[in-house]
Amino acid sequence: MDFRDSTEEAAFRDRLRGWLTEQKGKFPTSGDEYWAAQGAWHQALYEQGFFGTSWPKEYGGQDLPPVYDVIVDEEIAKAGAPARPSLGYLVVAFGHHGSKELQQRFLPGMINGTERWCQGFSEPGAGSDLASLTTTATREGDEFVIHGHKIWTSYSDVADWCLLLARTDKEVPKHRGLSAFVVSMHQPGVEQRPLKMISGVTKEFGQVSFDGARVPAENMVGNPGEGWKLAMTVVSHEREPSTLGFSARYGKLVRQLASRVDGATPEELSWAWVQTEMLRLHVRRRLSEQLDGITHGPQGSLDKLLMTWVEQSVGHAALATVGTSDPELFGAYMYSRAQSVMGGTSQIQKNIISSRILGLGV
């Protein structure tokens, strides 16, 4: 496989590099300041043509091949700029399950960054076992009334809208009783509270209570009972490294750690270097498959496990190389511990692999 840039890709990469050089120091890259500035960073990327490159042109994207997203992620990581906001799961969800009316109403603001979003899936008692969620949506005339509690909700403190999963039918098997909605976060009955992480960050996650919040019936995404299908579309997208750009960030961090070594290279750093290069090549292969029209389904669980192993290897390398002397690098270790939980725990990924790929009937 030839991973070199085409003439058009090289020109795009050069223009992006030049612009990123001009932005150096303008946007914070870590901590609460990073999360607070994400909206402005999103819009800055979009205005220059570096956000939404592979998404539909009719909604504000550019309809370019997904390799352009990877170029953006690679150059952002090399420049030490803030990561590209992760909204692909929403675009995929609306593209596969939303009506034309919902797509026309919500995708433009989602892509250009003028409307902020969060995802209301996980609950205190329903994280990896998402089908056990207890948040309810009860039909009252032309509206649904929402009652429940969501947790680990990214950007909930700044979101205008929430893609919410709720139970609309208690009489059918739990996977079939779920529906998805677009819910306004600016209304009575919605309360957001921040969650402080072990790394000290308070802006990334929140918990949200819905106590009588209302949503128009036409804001249901898909048909009644199709929430589980939408959720699986979302998590499959979240679990593919080729759409997330993690590989370039891990590689940059490993190189940064290598520059701090004084004496023998720690074994943890050597192993992290090997794993990071393995992930980089795997991402390239996945990208090549995407360009050939191949979709992966449950194979995304393999990708998710691989990302987890690599991020935690890099985190251990940071701990072995600099310990707690550098707050930002130590924070990379602390954050890496969450990778085996978020997006579906590693145990759940192994169950999916064993049952849906290997056919082992767990």
Side-chain angles (χ1 to χ4, degrees):
M1 292 180 283
D2 186 355
F3 293 144
R4 292 174 296 181
D5 289 342
S6 67
T7 301
E8 294 79 10
E9 291 162 2
F12 178 87
R13 190 186 293 272
D14 287 343
R15 184 168 68 87
L16 173 59
R17 283 177 179 172
W19 182 76
L20 288 171
T21 299
E22 296 173 359
Q23 305 310 304
K24 194 170 182 63
K26 293 184 180 180
F27 293 93
T29 59
S30 62
D32 280 346
E33 295 79 10
Y34 160 69
W35 295 103
Q38 257 218 344
W41 177 237
H42 178 167
Q43 292 187 45
L45 285 168
Y46 179 81
E47 288 167 2
Q48 296 299 318
F50 302 129
F51 191 86
T53 54
S54 64
W55 295 340
K57 186 175 291 186
E58 64 178 308
Y59 303 122
Q62 299 178 51
D63 272 326
L64 294 171
V67 67
Y68 284 85
D69 290 332
V70 175
I71 291 172
V72 171
D73 290 329
E74 288 178 343
E75 293 304 321
I76 280 176
K78 290 176 183 176
R84 179 169 59 102
S86 178
L87 290 174
Y89 69 94
L90 287 169
V91 177
V92 168
F94 275 79
H96 283 74
H97 303 281
S99 65
K100 195 67 176 179
E101 292 75 17
L102 287 179
Q103 292 172 1
Q104 291 172 339
R105 165 60 186 88
F106 291 113
L107 282 177
M110 186 187 299
I111 293 173
N112 66 30
T114 56
E115 292 184 316
R116 306 292 301 279
W117 284 77
C118 63
Q119 174 185 318
F121 281 19
S122 295
E123 298 182 3
S128 295
D129 184 14
L130 186 59
S132 296
L133 65 81
T134 59
T135 295
T136 59
T138 305
R139 184 75 180 250
E140 290 188 5
D142 293 332
E143 296 180 314
F144 284 85
V145 182
I146 312 295
H147 290 275
H149 182 190
K150 298 295 181 177
I151 200 166
W152 307 121
T153 309
S154 301
Y155 322 125
S156 59
D157 61 328
V158 296
D160 301 301
W161 302 96
C162 178
L163 179 61
L164 181 83
L165 207 60
R167 189 166 302 283
T168 49
D169 190 341
K170 298 180 181 179
E171 304 302 320
V172 298
K174 60 183 183 179
H175 292 81
R176 300 178 184 175
L178 306 179
S179 301
F181 300 88
V182 175
V183 180
S184 171
M185 294 289 284
H186 304 302
Q187 63 168 303
V190 178
E191 180 184 0
Q192 191 278 337
R193 297 188 298 277
L195 289 169
K196 185 175 181 178
M197 298 171 62
I198 194 171
S199 61
V201 171
T202 63
K203 293 289 186 181
E204 181 175 0
F205 293 120
Q207 51 184 326
V208 186
S209 296
F210 296 91
D211 185 12
R214 292 181 174 269
V215 55
E218 61 263 28
N219 278 20
M220 179 182 286
V221 185
N223 295 317
E226 292 186 350
W228 181 255
K229 186 187 298 184
L230 177 142
M232 292 304 97
T233 298
V234 168
V235 299
S236 293
H237 176 84
E238 288 179 328
R239 292 167 185 169
E240 290 192 0
S242 56
T243 58
L244 296 177
F246 286 161
S247 173
R249 298 205 293 274
Y250 298 155
K252 179 179 182 295
L253 183 54
V254 165
R255 291 190 293 273
Q256 185 178 355
L257 291 170
S259 71
R260 302 284 293 273
V261 172
D262 183 13
T265 301
E267 181 179 345
E268 292 88 348
L269 180 54
S270 298
W271 180 233
W273 197 302
V274 170
Q275 287 203 311
T276 300
E277 180 65 7
M278 174 185 64
L279 180 64
R280 185 184 71 83
L281 295 174
H282 177 74
V283 165
R284 290 290 186 174
R285 181 175 63 180
R286 283 290 196 237
L287 176 61
S288 179
E289 291 170 349
Q290 282 187 3
L291 293 173
D292 289 337
I294 298 173
T295 56
H296 298 110
Q299 283 78 13
S301 291
L302 290 168
D303 295 347
K304 174 59 168 60
L305 274 182
L306 181 58
M307 282 192 292
T308 295
W309 294 336
V310 174
E311 180 164 339
Q312 293 188 344
S313 290
V314 173
H316 280 291
L319 188 63
T321 304
V322 300
T324 60
S325 62
D326 186 314
E328 185 170 344
L329 291 174
F330 180 63
Y333 163 74
M334 299 290 279
Y335 195 91
S336 73
R337 307 317 305 157
Q339 182 61 243
S340 52
V341 176
M342 60 187 183
T345 68
S346 292
Q347 292 83 358
I348 290 294
Q349 306 314 317
K350 291 175 181 178
N351 282 345
I352 292 172
I353 292 166
S354 64
S355 61
R356 298 183 61 190
I357 298 177
L358 301 177
L360 297 181
V362 294

Short mmCIF file of all heavy atoms in Angstrom, two decimals, residues 250 253-258 260-261 265-276 309-323 329-330 332-333 336-337:
data_model
loop_
_atom_site.label_atom_id
_atom_site.label_comp_id
_atom_site.label_asym_id
_atom_site.label_seq_id
_atom_site.Cartn_x
_atom_site.Cartn_y
_atom_site.Cartn_z
N TYR A 250 -0.44 9.89 20.19
CA TYR A 250 0.38 8.96 20.95
C TYR A 250 1.84 9.03 20.48
O TYR A 250 2.77 9.03 21.28
CB TYR A 250 -0.12 7.53 20.79
CG TYR A 250 -1.52 7.27 21.30
CD1 TYR A 250 -2.29 6.23 20.80
CD2 TYR A 250 -2.09 8.07 22.28
CE1 TYR A 250 -3.58 5.99 21.25
CE2 TYR A 250 -3.38 7.85 22.73
CZ TYR A 250 -4.12 6.80 22.21
OH TYR A 250 -5.40 6.57 22.66
N LEU A 253 3.58 12.09 21.81
CA LEU A 253 3.88 11.97 23.22
C LEU A 253 5.10 11.06 23.46
O LEU A 253 5.96 11.37 24.30
CB LEU A 253 2.66 11.42 23.97
CG LEU A 253 2.77 11.29 25.49
CD1 LEU A 253 3.18 12.62 26.12
CD2 LEU A 253 1.45 10.81 26.09
N VAL A 254 5.20 9.97 22.71
CA VAL A 254 6.35 9.08 22.84
C VAL A 254 7.64 9.81 22.47
O VAL A 254 8.66 9.69 23.16
CB VAL A 254 6.15 7.82 21.98
CG1 VAL A 254 7.47 7.07 21.81
CG2 VAL A 254 5.12 6.90 22.61
N ARG A 255 7.60 10.57 21.39
CA ARG A 255 8.79 11.34 20.99
C ARG A 255 9.16 12.39 22.04
O ARG A 255 10.33 12.63 22.32
CB ARG A 255 8.56 11.98 19.64
CG ARG A 255 8.50 10.98 18.48
CD ARG A 255 8.51 11.68 17.14
NE ARG A 255 7.29 12.47 16.93
CZ ARG A 255 6.17 11.98 16.42
NH1 ARG A 255 6.08 10.70 16.07
NH2 ARG A 255 5.12 12.75 16.23
N GLN A 256 8.14 12.98 22.62
CA GLN A 256 8.38 13.97 23.68
C GLN A 256 9.04 13.30 24.88
O GLN A 256 9.98 13.86 25.48
CB GLN A 256 7.04 14.60 24.08
CG GLN A 256 7.15 15.74 25.09
CD GLN A 256 5.79 16.34 25.41
OE1 GLN A 256 4.78 15.96 24.81
NE2 GLN A 256 5.76 17.26 26.35
N LEU A 257 8.59 12.11 25.23
CA LEU A 257 9.19 11.38 26.35
C LEU A 257 10.62 10.98 26.04
O LEU A 257 11.51 11.07 26.90
CB LEU A 257 8.35 10.15 26.68
CG LEU A 257 6.97 10.40 27.28
CD1 LEU A 257 6.16 9.12 27.32
CD2 LEU A 257 7.10 10.98 28.70
N ALA A 258 10.86 10.55 24.80
CA ALA A 258 12.21 10.13 24.41
C ALA A 258 13.20 11.28 24.56
O ALA A 258 14.38 11.06 24.92
CB ALA A 258 12.20 9.61 22.98
N ARG A 260 13.24 13.39 26.79
CA ARG A 260 13.49 13.64 28.22
C ARG A 260 14.36 12.58 28.87
O ARG A 260 14.69 12.69 30.05
CB ARG A 260 12.13 13.70 28.95
CG ARG A 260 11.16 14.75 28.43
CD ARG A 260 11.55 16.14 28.88
NE ARG A 260 11.39 16.28 30.31
CZ ARG A 260 10.25 16.63 30.90
NH1 ARG A 260 9.17 16.88 30.16
NH2 ARG A 260 10.18 16.75 32.22
N VAL A 261 14.71 11.54 28.11
CA VAL A 261 15.48 10.44 28.69
C VAL A 261 16.92 10.88 28.93
O VAL A 261 17.57 11.44 28.03
CB VAL A 261 15.45 9.20 27.77
CG1 VAL A 261 16.41 8.14 28.27
CG2 VAL A 261 14.03 8.64 27.71
N THR A 265 17.18 4.04 28.19
CA THR A 265 15.76 4.20 27.88
C THR A 265 14.94 3.21 28.70
O THR A 265 15.21 2.01 28.67
CB THR A 265 15.50 3.95 26.39
OG1 THR A 265 16.26 4.89 25.62
CG2 THR A 265 14.02 4.11 26.06
N PRO A 266 13.95 3.68 29.44
CA PRO A 266 13.11 2.75 30.20
C PRO A 266 12.44 1.73 29.29
O PRO A 266 12.05 2.06 28.16
CB PRO A 266 12.07 3.67 30.86
CG PRO A 266 12.69 5.02 30.87
CD PRO A 266 13.55 5.08 29.64
N GLU A 267 12.31 0.51 29.76
CA GLU A 267 11.67 -0.54 28.96
C GLU A 267 10.25 -0.14 28.58
O GLU A 267 9.79 -0.45 27.47
CB GLU A 267 11.67 -1.85 29.75
CG GLU A 267 11.04 -3.01 29.00
CD GLU A 267 11.07 -4.30 29.80
OE1 GLU A 267 11.80 -4.37 30.80
OE2 GLU A 267 10.35 -5.24 29.42
N GLU A 268 9.54 0.54 29.48
CA GLU A 268 8.17 0.94 29.20
C GLU A 268 8.10 1.88 28.00
O GLU A 268 7.18 1.82 27.20
CB GLU A 268 7.56 1.63 30.43
CG GLU A 268 7.33 0.73 31.63
CD GLU A 268 8.55 0.64 32.53
OE1 GLU A 268 9.65 1.09 32.12
OE2 GLU A 268 8.41 0.12 33.66
N LEU A 269 9.10 2.76 27.87
CA LEU A 269 9.11 3.70 26.76
C LEU A 269 9.42 2.98 25.45
O LEU A 269 8.81 3.26 24.41
CB LEU A 269 10.13 4.81 27.01
CG LEU A 269 10.25 5.87 25.91
CD1 LEU A 269 8.90 6.50 25.58
CD2 LEU A 269 11.25 6.95 26.33
N SER A 270 10.34 2.03 25.48
CA SER A 270 10.66 1.26 24.27
C SER A 270 9.43 0.50 23.78
O SER A 270 9.12 0.48 22.58
CB SER A 270 11.80 0.27 24.56
OG SER A 270 12.97 0.95 24.92
N TRP A 271 8.71 -0.12 24.71
CA TRP A 271 7.51 -0.88 24.34
C TRP A 271 6.41 0.06 23.83
O TRP A 271 5.72 -0.27 22.86
CB TRP A 271 7.03 -1.67 25.54
CG TRP A 271 5.80 -2.51 25.29
CD1 TRP A 271 4.65 -2.50 26.01
CD2 TRP A 271 5.60 -3.48 24.27
NE1 TRP A 271 3.74 -3.39 25.51
CE2 TRP A 271 4.30 -4.01 24.43
CE3 TRP A 271 6.40 -3.95 23.23
CZ2 TRP A 271 3.78 -4.98 23.58
CZ3 TRP A 271 5.87 -4.92 22.38
CH2 TRP A 271 4.58 -5.43 22.57
N ALA A 272 6.27 1.23 24.44
CA ALA A 272 5.27 2.19 23.97
C ALA A 272 5.60 2.65 22.56
O ALA A 272 4.69 2.85 21.74
CB ALA A 272 5.22 3.39 24.92
N TRP A 273 6.87 2.81 22.25
CA TRP A 273 7.27 3.22 20.90
C TRP A 273 6.85 2.15 19.88
O TRP A 273 6.31 2.47 18.83
CB TRP A 273 8.79 3.43 20.86
CG TRP A 273 9.25 4.23 19.67
CD1 TRP A 273 9.05 3.92 18.36
CD2 TRP A 273 9.95 5.48 19.67
NE1 TRP A 273 9.59 4.88 17.55
CE2 TRP A 273 10.15 5.85 18.32
CE3 TRP A 273 10.44 6.29 20.68
CZ2 TRP A 273 10.82 7.01 17.96
CZ3 TRP A 273 11.11 7.45 20.32
CH2 TRP A 273 11.29 7.80 18.99
N VAL A 274 7.09 0.89 20.21
CA VAL A 274 6.72 -0.20 19.32
C VAL A 274 5.20 -0.23 19.12
O VAL A 274 4.70 -0.33 17.99
CB VAL A 274 7.21 -1.54 19.87
CG1 VAL A 274 6.62 -2.71 19.08
CG2 VAL A 274 8.73 -1.61 19.85
N GLN A 275 4.46 -0.12 20.21
CA GLN A 275 3.00 -0.20 20.11
C GLN A 275 2.42 0.99 19.35
O GLN A 275 1.45 0.84 18.59
CB GLN A 275 2.40 -0.28 21.51
CG GLN A 275 2.59 -1.63 22.19
CD GLN A 275 1.55 -1.85 23.26
OE1 GLN A 275 1.33 -0.99 24.11
NE2 GLN A 275 0.91 -3.00 23.24
N THR A 276 2.99 2.16 19.55
CA THR A 276 2.50 3.35 18.85
C THR A 276 2.70 3.21 17.35
O THR A 276 1.82 3.57 16.55
CB THR A 276 3.22 4.60 19.37
OG1 THR A 276 2.98 4.75 20.77
CG2 THR A 276 2.73 5.84 18.65
N TRP A 309 -4.81 -0.52 24.81
CA TRP A 309 -3.48 -1.03 25.15
C TRP A 309 -2.39 -0.01 24.83
O TRP A 309 -1.47 0.20 25.62
CB TRP A 309 -3.21 -2.33 24.40
CG TRP A 309 -4.10 -3.46 24.82
CD1 TRP A 309 -4.75 -3.59 26.02
CD2 TRP A 309 -4.48 -4.60 24.05
NE1 TRP A 309 -5.50 -4.72 26.05
CE2 TRP A 309 -5.35 -5.37 24.85
CE3 TRP A 309 -4.18 -5.04 22.76
CZ2 TRP A 309 -5.91 -6.58 24.41
CZ3 TRP A 309 -4.73 -6.23 22.32
CH2 TRP A 309 -5.58 -6.98 23.13
N VAL A 310 -2.50 0.64 23.69
CA VAL A 310 -1.47 1.60 23.30
C VAL A 310 -1.50 2.82 24.21
O VAL A 310 -0.45 3.26 24.70
CB VAL A 310 -1.64 2.02 21.82
CG1 VAL A 310 -0.65 3.12 21.46
CG2 VAL A 310 -1.44 0.81 20.91
N GLU A 311 -2.68 3.39 24.46
CA GLU A 311 -2.73 4.58 25.31
C GLU A 311 -2.22 4.28 26.71
O GLU A 311 -1.49 5.09 27.29
CB GLU A 311 -4.15 5.15 25.38
CG GLU A 311 -4.21 6.39 26.26
CD GLU A 311 -5.45 7.22 26.08
OE1 GLU A 311 -6.10 7.10 25.03
OE2 GLU A 311 -5.76 8.01 26.98
N GLN A 312 -2.56 3.14 27.24
CA GLN A 312 -2.10 2.83 28.60
C GLN A 312 -0.61 2.49 28.61
O GLN A 312 0.08 2.78 29.59
CB GLN A 312 -2.95 1.71 29.19
CG GLN A 312 -4.39 2.18 29.43
CD GLN A 312 -5.25 1.20 30.19
OE1 GLN A 312 -4.92 0.03 30.33
NE2 GLN A 312 -6.39 1.67 30.67
N SER A 313 -0.08 1.92 27.53
CA SER A 313 1.36 1.72 27.43
C SER A 313 2.10 3.05 27.41
O SER A 313 3.13 3.22 28.07
CB SER A 313 1.71 0.91 26.17
OG SER A 313 1.28 -0.43 26.29
N VAL A 314 1.55 4.01 26.64
CA VAL A 314 2.16 5.33 26.60
C VAL A 314 2.06 6.01 27.97
O VAL A 314 3.00 6.67 28.42
CB VAL A 314 1.49 6.19 25.51
CG1 VAL A 314 2.00 7.63 25.56
CG2 VAL A 314 1.76 5.59 24.13
N GLY A 315 0.93 5.83 28.63
CA GLY A 315 0.78 6.39 29.97
C GLY A 315 1.80 5.82 30.95
O GLY A 315 2.41 6.56 31.74
N HIS A 316 2.00 4.50 30.91
CA HIS A 316 3.01 3.88 31.78
C HIS A 316 4.41 4.36 31.43
O HIS A 316 5.26 4.54 32.31
CB HIS A 316 2.93 2.36 31.67
CG HIS A 316 1.83 1.75 32.47
ND1 HIS A 316 1.84 1.71 33.85
CD2 HIS A 316 0.65 1.17 32.10
CE1 HIS A 316 0.74 1.11 34.29
NE2 HIS A 316 0.01 0.79 33.25
N ALA A 317 4.66 4.60 30.13
CA ALA A 317 5.96 5.12 29.72
C ALA A 317 6.18 6.52 30.30
O ALA A 317 7.30 6.86 30.72
CB ALA A 317 6.05 5.15 28.20
N ALA A 318 5.13 7.33 30.31
CA ALA A 318 5.25 8.67 30.90
C ALA A 318 5.58 8.58 32.38
O ALA A 318 6.43 9.31 32.89
CB ALA A 318 3.94 9.44 30.68
N LEU A 319 4.93 7.66 33.07
CA LEU A 319 5.18 7.50 34.51
C LEU A 319 6.61 7.02 34.75
O LEU A 319 7.29 7.50 35.67
CB LEU A 319 4.17 6.51 35.08
CG LEU A 319 4.15 6.36 36.61
CD1 LEU A 319 3.75 7.67 37.27
CD2 LEU A 319 3.18 5.25 37.01
N ALA A 320 7.08 6.08 33.91
CA ALA A 320 8.43 5.54 34.09
C ALA A 320 9.51 6.55 33.72
O ALA A 320 10.61 6.52 34.26
CB ALA A 320 8.59 4.28 33.24
N THR A 321 9.20 7.45 32.81
CA THR A 321 10.21 8.38 32.30
C THR A 321 10.33 9.64 33.14
O THR A 321 11.44 10.08 33.46
CB THR A 321 9.89 8.76 30.83
OG1 THR A 321 9.79 7.57 30.05
CG2 THR A 321 10.97 9.66 30.26
N VAL A 322 9.20 10.25 33.48
CA VAL A 322 9.25 11.54 34.20
C VAL A 322 8.58 11.48 35.57
O VAL A 322 8.65 12.45 36.33
CB VAL A 322 8.61 12.66 33.36
CG1 VAL A 322 9.35 12.83 32.04
CG2 VAL A 322 7.13 12.39 33.10
N GLY A 323 7.90 10.37 35.88
CA GLY A 323 7.22 10.27 37.17
C GLY A 323 6.17 11.34 37.33
O GLY A 323 5.38 11.61 36.41
N LEU A 329 2.61 15.63 31.60
CA LEU A 329 2.92 14.25 31.22
C LEU A 329 2.37 13.26 32.23
O LEU A 329 1.89 12.18 31.86
CB LEU A 329 4.43 14.07 31.07
CG LEU A 329 5.05 14.82 29.87
CD1 LEU A 329 6.56 14.70 29.89
CD2 LEU A 329 4.49 14.29 28.56
N PHE A 330 2.40 13.62 33.51
CA PHE A 330 1.79 12.76 34.51
C PHE A 330 0.28 12.69 34.29
O PHE A 330 -0.35 11.64 34.47
CB PHE A 330 2.09 13.26 35.91
CG PHE A 330 1.49 12.40 37.01
CD1 PHE A 330 1.88 11.09 37.17
CD2 PHE A 330 0.52 12.92 37.86
CE1 PHE A 330 1.33 10.30 38.17
CE2 PHE A 330 -0.04 12.14 38.85
CZ PHE A 330 0.37 10.82 39.01
N ALA A 332 -1.11 12.66 31.46
CA ALA A 332 -1.34 11.70 30.37
C ALA A 332 -1.47 10.29 30.93
O ALA A 332 -2.28 9.49 30.45
CB ALA A 332 -0.19 11.77 29.36
N TYR A 333 -0.67 9.99 31.94
CA TYR A 333 -0.79 8.68 32.59
C TYR A 333 -2.14 8.56 33.29
O TYR A 333 -2.85 7.55 33.15
CB TYR A 333 0.33 8.46 33.60
CG TYR A 333 0.04 7.33 34.56
CD1 TYR A 333 0.11 6.00 34.15
CD2 TYR A 333 -0.34 7.59 35.88
CE1 TYR A 333 -0.19 4.97 35.02
CE2 TYR A 333 -0.64 6.57 36.76
CZ TYR A 333 -0.57 5.26 36.32
OH TYR A 333 -0.88 4.23 37.17
N SER A 336 -4.97 8.05 30.90
CA SER A 336 -4.95 6.77 30.18
C SER A 336 -5.70 5.68 30.93
O SER A 336 -6.16 4.71 30.32
CB SER A 336 -3.50 6.33 29.93
OG SER A 336 -2.88 5.87 31.13
N ARG A 337 -5.83 5.83 32.24
CA ARG A 337 -6.53 4.80 33.01
C ARG A 337 -8.00 4.70 32.62
O ARG A 337 -8.63 3.65 32.76
CB ARG A 337 -6.43 5.08 34.53
CG ARG A 337 -5.02 5.29 35.06
CD ARG A 337 -4.01 4.30 34.51
NE ARG A 337 -4.41 2.92 34.74
CZ ARG A 337 -3.99 1.89 34.05
NH1 ARG A 337 -3.16 2.06 33.04
NH2 ARG A 337 -4.40 0.67 34.34
#
